[in-house]
Amino acid sequence: MGPKVAVLGAGSWGTTFGKVLADGGARVTMWARRPEQAHEIDEAKRNSQYLPGINLPRSIRATHRLAKAVEGAEQIYLSVPSKTAREALKQLRPLVARSDAPIVSLMKGVEKRSGMRMSQVIEEVLGCDPDRIAVASGPNLALEIAREQPTAAVVSSTSLETAELIARTASNPYFRTFVNTDVAGTEFGGVLKNLIAVAIGIVDGVGYGENTKASIITRGLVEMTDFAVAYGAQAETMHGLAGLGDLIATCQSPLSRNNTAGRLLGQGYTLQDVVSHMEQTAEGLGSVEPMLKLARAKGVEMPIVQQVKMVLDGTMNPKDIAPHLTTDDDTPQGERTQNGQDDRGGALRRAFQRARDLFRDGGGSARRDRS
């Protein structure tokens, strides 16, 4: 018998992660806000709105009662939109006041008002030890994983023991989990890649080709790294699963909500139209403004993200985003690949080395992410 776990949030990612945990042997109870959705998961083992065509493990249970979902849970996973995280945590707090269960964030956003990462919101609202908190991130498109296509993720916590505990639980034959202790880097990677994915979607919607998109992805990784390092993260984390891995998956796939949102913007839809059209939250749309505010506070330049904001604000034609990949200054610049330095391709070389190592190393379920 595996650990008893609760997954709070029954959208595509929450439901998929519940499946990952159940297929790894955990006893999973899902919490869904709507009673009819909880009933479908519990009885039919389906979530037809968010994961059409996917059969869920028969062992998964579901309820719309939060207290019932977390009763006796040894691990609690949070998969709600970042904009509603604080309110959800306030409801959770009295239910876990006497628990020492690890709290795991599956969320990839920042709080718009405060700019806080989700692990920081969890710590503040629940008043729990940071060593109990973990975050999971990586190239994780929900529908592909629900179809059991092989992938990997990284779990991060200030406590390596907590990270390894969660990694063991969140591993199965098609889902492998690495660990690290760079919580800031792991979370920022999951947030920042969404912003670059919106930019990719915009130029895709406009009709630009692979050269434009490759340029934005490459320069976007520089912006991600500069930002994360300014806030205490390790540069190498941006070249691992939570950074480069998630960036590639999110930018290239039509399954990505942020890519889809950007593509609609590029086709001429307004931000309000896009938000109305999307069935699920595209976290990148709400993260642009707070992330730019944080960047300005540290003096970090993020020209691609700034261009995305201008498109969102309606002050830039989507067709004009590509020529402004780096700067409005015509002075030739060095190709910064890491932390504002020209390292003659070293960062890119290390990223590909890391990718090769990941594919080559097939053993073990909880590994140190050396990105």
Side-chain angles (χ1 to χ4, degrees):
M1 297 288 288
K4 185 176 182 180
V5 307
V7 179
L8 311 185
S12 59
W13 183 224
T15 306
T16 294
F17 213 85
K19 181 181 186 305
V20 166
L21 294 165
D23 286 342
R27 294 169 288 158
V28 178
T29 299
M30 302 284 307
W31 173 74
R33 181 175 52 84
R34 293 182 289 109
E36 63 273 20
Q37 186 184 21
H39 183 266
E40 183 187 29
I41 295 172
D42 196 53
E43 296 294 329
K45 308 306 178 189
R46 290 275 186 133
N47 188 342
S48 55
Q49 180 179 357
Y50 295 113
L51 291 177
I54 299 298
N55 294 318
L56 301 174
R58 296 188 62 82
S59 62
I60 285 185
R61 309 296 300 178
T63 177
H64 70 281
R65 294 168 51 200
L66 185 60
K68 183 178 179 181
V70 300
E71 183 179 4
E74 299 168 63
Q75 299 171 17
I76 299 173
Y77 295 76
L78 297 173
S79 184
V80 299
S82 59
K83 65 181 179 180
T84 63
R86 185 173 291 270
E87 186 58 37
L89 288 163
K90 287 179 180 178
Q91 297 178 47
L92 180 63
R93 179 168 181 164
L95 303 176
V96 298
R98 298 183 180 179
S99 170
D100 61 355
I103 310 294
V104 186
S105 171
L106 305 178
M107 303 173 284
K108 295 183 178 181
V110 294
E111 190 171 51
K112 188 171 184 178
R113 175 181 59 82
S114 67
M116 294 172 67
R117 291 179 281 111
M118 290 295 99
S119 65
Q120 294 173 316
V121 177
I122 292 170
E123 181 182 353
E124 180 178 274
V125 177
L126 297 187
C128 63
D129 186 338
D131 283 355
R132 277 179 57 195
I133 302 170
V135 300
S137 194
N140 302 145
L141 297 167
L143 188 57
E144 290 187 1
I145 298 173
R147 291 170 175 164
E148 302 186 8
Q149 297 179 14
T151 191
V154 60
V155 170
S156 182
S157 174
T158 55
S159 165
L160 186 58
E161 182 180 0
T162 297
E164 290 177 340
L165 172 66
I166 300 305
R168 283 191 291 270
T169 306
S171 291
N172 62 46
Y174 60 86
F175 194 90
R176 285 291 181 256
T177 310
F178 294 74
V179 299
N180 72 34
T181 56
D182 183 10
V183 177
T186 300
E187 283 191 288
F188 279 137
V191 177
L192 293 163
K193 58 86 184 181
N194 285 335
L195 313 187
I196 306 304
V198 173
I200 292 295
I202 291 171
V203 300
D204 200 25
V206 167
Y208 293 141
E210 301 307 317
N211 290 333
T212 305
K213 289 184 278 188
S215 299
I216 292 177
I217 290 173
T218 305
R219 300 307 304 169
L221 182 60
V222 175
E223 291 190 21
M224 290 170 59
T225 304
D226 286 349
F227 180 102
V229 169
Y231 276 92
Q234 299 172 17
E236 292 297 300
T237 301
M238 292 300 102
H239 305 140
L241 292 165
L244 179 62
D246 204 2
L247 178 65
I248 293 172
T250 308
C251 286
Q252 74 175 5
S253 176
L255 295 175
S256 163
R257 285 169 276 175
N258 294 283
N259 183 292
T260 299
R263 192 162 59 251
L264 292 171
L265 289 167
Q267 291 169 354
Y269 290 90
T270 66
L271 175 58
Q272 185 176 356
D273 290 337
V274 172
V275 172
S276 300
H277 178 83
M278 302 289 290
E279 290 188 1
Q280 295 192 74
T281 301
E283 292 282 7
L285 298 180
S287 298
V288 170
E289 187 174 342
M291 295 303 280
L292 281 174
K293 183 177 180 180
L294 290 172
R296 287 192 293 269
K298 293 287 188 179
V300 177
E301 295 183 0
M302 303 189 77
I304 294 174
V305 179
Q306 181 63 48
Q307 298 288 328
V308 171
K309 183 179 186 302
M310 294 172 70
V311 172
L312 294 177
D313 292 344
T315 59
M316 171 176 278
N317 188 317
K319 291 184 178 180
D320 293 335
I321 191 172
H324 302 283
L325 291 175
T326 55
T327 179
D328 289 328
D329 185 354
D330 291 333
T331 304
Q333 298 181 348
E335 185 187 13
R336 295 182 300 108
T337 53
Q338 178 178 309
N339 301 81
Q341 299 176 358
D342 302 323
D343 71 347
R344 301 185 183 274
L348 189 60
R349 204 165 45 244
R350 286 190 295 275
F352 281 112
Q353 176 66 44
R354 177 61 179 140
R356 187 166 63 249
D357 290 345
L358 289 178
F359 284 111
R360 186 174 57 203
D361 181 10
S365 61
R367 307 174 181 85
R368 180 70 58 85
D369 184 15
R370 301 183 181 87
S371 62

mmCIF file of all heavy atoms in Angstrom, residues 81-108:
data_model
loop_
_atom_site.group_PDB
_atom_site.id
_atom_site.type_symbol
_atom_site.label_atom_id
_atom_site.label_comp_id
_atom_site.label_asym_id
_atom_site.label_seq_id
_atom_site.Cartn_x
_atom_site.Cartn_y
_atom_site.Cartn_z
ATOM 1 N N PRO A 81 -5.507 27.283 -9.892
ATOM 2 C CA PRO A 81 -4.917 28.468 -10.529
ATOM 3 C C PRO A 81 -4.239 29.351 -9.496
ATOM 4 O O PRO A 81 -4.725 29.508 -8.370
ATOM 5 C CB PRO A 81 -6.127 29.165 -11.156
ATOM 6 C CG PRO A 81 -7.126 28.073 -11.371
ATOM 7 C CD PRO A 81 -6.941 27.143 -10.217
ATOM 8 N N SER A 82 -3.107 29.939 -9.869
ATOM 9 C CA SER A 82 -2.354 30.759 -8.919
ATOM 10 C C SER A 82 -3.193 31.914 -8.378
ATOM 11 O O SER A 82 -3.020 32.340 -7.236
ATOM 12 C CB SER A 82 -1.069 31.289 -9.567
ATOM 13 O OG SER A 82 -1.360 32.078 -10.713
ATOM 14 N N LYS A 83 -4.123 32.433 -9.186
ATOM 15 C CA LYS A 83 -4.934 33.573 -8.744
ATOM 16 C C LYS A 83 -5.914 33.195 -7.641
ATOM 17 O O LYS A 83 -6.405 34.067 -6.923
ATOM 18 C CB LYS A 83 -5.675 34.191 -9.928
ATOM 19 C CG LYS A 83 -6.712 33.290 -10.577
ATOM 20 C CD LYS A 83 -7.359 33.984 -11.756
ATOM 21 C CE LYS A 83 -8.394 33.078 -12.431
ATOM 22 N NZ LYS A 83 -9.022 33.767 -13.596
ATOM 23 N N THR A 84 -6.210 31.898 -7.481
ATOM 24 C CA THR A 84 -7.123 31.460 -6.422
ATOM 25 C C THR A 84 -6.403 30.674 -5.331
ATOM 26 O O THR A 84 -7.046 30.155 -4.422
ATOM 27 C CB THR A 84 -8.248 30.588 -6.998
ATOM 28 O OG1 THR A 84 -7.689 29.391 -7.580
ATOM 29 C CG2 THR A 84 -9.035 31.334 -8.064
ATOM 30 N N ALA A 85 -5.073 30.595 -5.417
ATOM 31 C CA ALA A 85 -4.315 29.765 -4.477
ATOM 32 C C ALA A 85 -4.474 30.233 -3.032
ATOM 33 O O ALA A 85 -4.673 29.430 -2.120
ATOM 34 C CB ALA A 85 -2.837 29.741 -4.873
ATOM 35 N N ARG A 86 -4.375 31.539 -2.810
ATOM 36 C CA ARG A 86 -4.445 32.045 -1.441
ATOM 37 C C ARG A 86 -5.786 31.700 -0.791
ATOM 38 O O ARG A 86 -5.840 31.281 0.369
ATOM 39 C CB ARG A 86 -4.202 33.556 -1.415
ATOM 40 C CG ARG A 86 -4.141 34.152 -0.012
ATOM 41 C CD ARG A 86 -3.738 35.622 -0.051
ATOM 42 N NE ARG A 86 -2.339 35.790 -0.455
ATOM 43 C CZ ARG A 86 -1.319 35.826 0.397
ATOM 44 N NH1 ARG A 86 -1.530 35.679 1.703
ATOM 45 N NH2 ARG A 86 -0.091 36.005 -0.050
ATOM 46 N N GLU A 87 -6.868 31.877 -1.538
ATOM 47 C CA GLU A 87 -8.185 31.575 -0.986
ATOM 48 C C GLU A 87 -8.324 30.079 -0.696
ATOM 49 O O GLU A 87 -8.870 29.682 0.344
ATOM 50 C CB GLU A 87 -9.272 32.028 -1.964
ATOM 51 C CG GLU A 87 -10.692 31.877 -1.421
ATOM 52 C CD GLU A 87 -10.920 32.637 -0.138
ATOM 53 O OE1 GLU A 87 -10.373 33.755 0.016
ATOM 54 O OE2 GLU A 87 -11.647 32.112 0.734
ATOM 55 N N ALA A 88 -7.823 29.240 -1.607
ATOM 56 C CA ALA A 88 -7.883 27.795 -1.389
ATOM 57 C C ALA A 88 -7.074 27.395 -0.160
ATOM 58 O O ALA A 88 -7.489 26.538 0.635
ATOM 59 C CB ALA A 88 -7.367 27.063 -2.624
ATOM 60 N N LEU A 89 -5.915 28.022 0.028
ATOM 61 C CA LEU A 89 -5.067 27.712 1.175
ATOM 62 C C LEU A 89 -5.706 28.162 2.486
ATOM 63 O O LEU A 89 -5.536 27.511 3.522
ATOM 64 C CB LEU A 89 -3.695 28.364 0.993
ATOM 65 C CG LEU A 89 -2.806 27.715 -0.066
ATOM 66 C CD1 LEU A 89 -1.672 28.639 -0.458
ATOM 67 C CD2 LEU A 89 -2.254 26.382 0.451
ATOM 68 N N LYS A 90 -6.442 29.254 2.462
ATOM 69 C CA LYS A 90 -7.142 29.698 3.665
ATOM 70 C C LYS A 90 -8.180 28.668 4.093
ATOM 71 O O LYS A 90 -8.379 28.425 5.293
ATOM 72 C CB LYS A 90 -7.815 31.050 3.412
ATOM 73 C CG LYS A 90 -6.853 32.222 3.342
ATOM 74 C CD LYS A 90 -7.602 33.523 3.059
ATOM 75 C CE LYS A 90 -6.636 34.708 2.992
ATOM 76 N NZ LYS A 90 -7.366 35.975 2.657
ATOM 77 N N GLN A 91 -8.843 28.052 3.117
ATOM 78 C CA GLN A 91 -9.807 26.991 3.431
ATOM 79 C C GLN A 91 -9.095 25.741 3.940
ATOM 80 O O GLN A 91 -9.620 25.018 4.786
ATOM 81 C CB GLN A 91 -10.620 26.650 2.189
ATOM 82 C CG GLN A 91 -11.478 27.782 1.658
ATOM 83 C CD GLN A 91 -12.218 27.375 0.401
ATOM 84 O OE1 GLN A 91 -12.835 26.302 0.327
ATOM 85 N NE2 GLN A 91 -12.150 28.219 -0.626
ATOM 86 N N LEU A 92 -7.892 25.511 3.435
ATOM 87 C CA LEU A 92 -7.143 24.322 3.813
ATOM 88 C C LEU A 92 -6.520 24.427 5.196
ATOM 89 O O LEU A 92 -6.395 23.422 5.911
ATOM 90 C CB LEU A 92 -6.044 24.071 2.770
ATOM 91 C CG LEU A 92 -5.135 22.858 2.971
ATOM 92 C CD1 LEU A 92 -5.938 21.559 2.898
ATOM 93 C CD2 LEU A 92 -4.013 22.854 1.936
ATOM 94 N N ARG A 93 -6.144 25.635 5.580
ATOM 95 C CA ARG A 93 -5.355 25.817 6.806
ATOM 96 C C ARG A 93 -5.936 25.130 8.037
ATOM 97 O O ARG A 93 -5.223 24.372 8.707
ATOM 98 C CB ARG A 93 -5.136 27.309 7.073
ATOM 99 C CG ARG A 93 -4.330 27.552 8.357
ATOM 100 C CD ARG A 93 -3.849 28.965 8.496
ATOM 101 N NE ARG A 93 -3.065 29.120 9.727
ATOM 102 C CZ ARG A 93 -2.261 30.123 9.987
ATOM 103 N NH1 ARG A 93 -2.120 31.086 9.086
ATOM 104 N NH2 ARG A 93 -1.597 30.190 11.109
ATOM 105 N N PRO A 94 -7.204 25.336 8.405
ATOM 106 C CA PRO A 94 -7.706 24.678 9.617
ATOM 107 C C PRO A 94 -7.765 23.153 9.505
ATOM 108 O O PRO A 94 -7.748 22.448 10.520
ATOM 109 C CB PRO A 94 -9.111 25.269 9.786
ATOM 110 C CG PRO A 94 -9.492 25.751 8.427
ATOM 111 C CD PRO A 94 -8.230 26.204 7.788
ATOM 112 N N LEU A 95 -7.788 22.660 8.286
ATOM 113 C CA LEU A 95 -7.886 21.214 8.074
ATOM 114 C C LEU A 95 -6.546 20.511 8.238
ATOM 115 O O LEU A 95 -6.510 19.291 8.432
ATOM 116 C CB LEU A 95 -8.458 20.927 6.678
ATOM 117 C CG LEU A 95 -9.826 21.547 6.366
ATOM 118 C CD1 LEU A 95 -10.218 21.255 4.926
ATOM 119 C CD2 LEU A 95 -10.889 21.023 7.333
ATOM 120 N N VAL A 96 -5.445 21.265 8.135
ATOM 121 C CA VAL A 96 -4.113 20.655 8.234
ATOM 122 C C VAL A 96 -3.321 21.233 9.396
ATOM 123 O O VAL A 96 -2.106 21.045 9.475
ATOM 124 C CB VAL A 96 -3.324 20.822 6.918
ATOM 125 C CG1 VAL A 96 -4.038 20.121 5.770
ATOM 126 C CG2 VAL A 96 -3.102 22.298 6.591
ATOM 127 N N ALA A 97 -4.016 21.922 10.302
ATOM 128 C CA ALA A 97 -3.329 22.599 11.408
ATOM 129 C C ALA A 97 -2.509 21.636 12.255
ATOM 130 O O ALA A 97 -1.461 21.995 12.793
ATOM 131 C CB ALA A 97 -4.350 23.336 12.271
ATOM 132 N N ARG A 98 -2.970 20.407 12.390
ATOM 133 C CA ARG A 98 -2.273 19.428 13.222
ATOM 134 C C ARG A 98 -1.533 18.378 12.390
ATOM 135 O O ARG A 98 -1.077 17.370 12.915
ATOM 136 C CB ARG A 98 -3.272 18.732 14.150
ATOM 137 C CG ARG A 98 -3.956 19.693 15.118
ATOM 138 C CD ARG A 98 -4.882 18.958 16.067
ATOM 139 N NE ARG A 98 -5.528 19.876 16.995
ATOM 140 C CZ ARG A 98 -6.400 19.504 17.924
ATOM 141 N NH1 ARG A 98 -6.726 18.207 18.046
ATOM 142 N NH2 ARG A 98 -6.941 20.386 18.729
ATOM 143 N N SER A 99 -1.413 18.638 11.106
ATOM 144 C CA SER A 99 -0.762 17.678 10.217
ATOM 145 C C SER A 99 0.673 18.102 9.937
ATOM 146 O O SER A 99 0.998 19.295 9.953
ATOM 147 C CB SER A 99 -1.536 17.587 8.897
ATOM 148 O OG SER A 99 -0.822 16.852 7.925
ATOM 149 N N ASP A 100 1.531 17.127 9.686
ATOM 150 C CA ASP A 100 2.894 17.430 9.248
ATOM 151 C C ASP A 100 3.125 16.917 7.831
ATOM 152 O O ASP A 100 4.245 16.721 7.390
ATOM 153 C CB ASP A 100 3.920 16.828 10.209
ATOM 154 C CG ASP A 100 3.831 15.306 10.304
ATOM 155 O OD1 ASP A 100 2.896 14.717 9.684
ATOM 156 O OD2 ASP A 100 4.682 14.704 10.989
ATOM 157 N N ALA A 101 2.020 16.703 7.100
ATOM 158 C CA ALA A 101 2.112 16.199 5.732
ATOM 159 C C ALA A 101 2.805 17.196 4.824
ATOM 160 O O ALA A 101 2.547 18.410 4.905
ATOM 161 C CB ALA A 101 0.719 15.901 5.189
ATOM 162 N N PRO A 102 3.695 16.748 3.958
ATOM 163 C CA PRO A 102 4.300 17.646 2.975
ATOM 164 C C PRO A 102 3.238 18.270 2.075
ATOM 165 O O PRO A 102 2.250 17.619 1.716
ATOM 166 C CB PRO A 102 5.220 16.728 2.174
ATOM 167 C CG PRO A 102 5.498 15.564 3.073
ATOM 168 C CD PRO A 102 4.239 15.372 3.862
ATOM 169 N N ILE A 103 3.443 19.534 1.723
ATOM 170 C CA ILE A 103 2.549 20.246 0.816
ATOM 171 C C ILE A 103 3.303 20.464 -0.486
ATOM 172 O O ILE A 103 4.388 21.056 -0.498
ATOM 173 C CB ILE A 103 2.119 21.606 1.393
ATOM 174 C CG1 ILE A 103 1.607 21.451 2.834
ATOM 175 C CG2 ILE A 103 1.080 22.254 0.499
ATOM 176 C CD1 ILE A 103 0.334 20.656 2.967
ATOM 177 N N VAL A 104 2.747 19.983 -1.593
ATOM 178 C CA VAL A 104 3.445 20.018 -2.880
ATOM 179 C C VAL A 104 2.705 20.919 -3.850
ATOM 180 O O VAL A 104 1.517 20.707 -4.119
ATOM 181 C CB VAL A 104 3.569 18.602 -3.480
ATOM 182 C CG1 VAL A 104 4.427 18.632 -4.743
ATOM 183 C CG2 VAL A 104 4.143 17.624 -2.456
ATOM 184 N N SER A 105 3.396 21.917 -4.372
ATOM 185 C CA SER A 105 2.800 22.815 -5.357
ATOM 186 C C SER A 105 3.005 22.277 -6.766
ATOM 187 O O SER A 105 4.136 22.022 -7.189
ATOM 188 C CB SER A 105 3.421 24.211 -5.252
ATOM 189 O OG SER A 105 3.004 25.018 -6.338
ATOM 190 N N LEU A 106 1.905 22.127 -7.490
ATOM 191 C CA LEU A 106 1.940 21.783 -8.910
ATOM 192 C C LEU A 106 1.655 23.019 -9.767
ATOM 193 O O LEU A 106 1.487 22.908 -10.973
ATOM 194 C CB LEU A 106 0.902 20.698 -9.221
ATOM 195 C CG LEU A 106 0.975 19.418 -8.394
ATOM 196 C CD1 LEU A 106 -0.160 18.468 -8.790
ATOM 197 C CD2 LEU A 106 2.325 18.731 -8.568
ATOM 198 N N MET A 107 1.593 24.175 -9.116
ATOM 199 C CA MET A 107 1.182 25.417 -9.765
ATOM 200 C C MET A 107 2.370 26.133 -10.411
ATOM 201 O O MET A 107 3.467 26.112 -9.871
ATOM 202 C CB MET A 107 0.511 26.324 -8.741
ATOM 203 C CG MET A 107 -0.692 25.679 -8.061
ATOM 204 S SD MET A 107 -1.383 26.661 -6.687
ATOM 205 C CE MET A 107 -0.172 26.355 -5.391
ATOM 206 N N LYS A 108 2.128 26.757 -11.560
ATOM 207 C CA LYS A 108 3.186 27.448 -12.291
ATOM 208 C C LYS A 108 2.770 28.894 -12.550
ATOM 209 O O LYS A 108 2.402 29.273 -13.660
ATOM 210 C CB LYS A 108 3.502 26.727 -13.606
ATOM 211 C CG LYS A 108 4.076 25.331 -13.400
ATOM 212 C CD LYS A 108 4.446 24.660 -14.703
ATOM 213 C CE LYS A 108 5.066 23.287 -14.473
ATOM 214 N NZ LYS A 108 5.448 22.615 -15.731
#
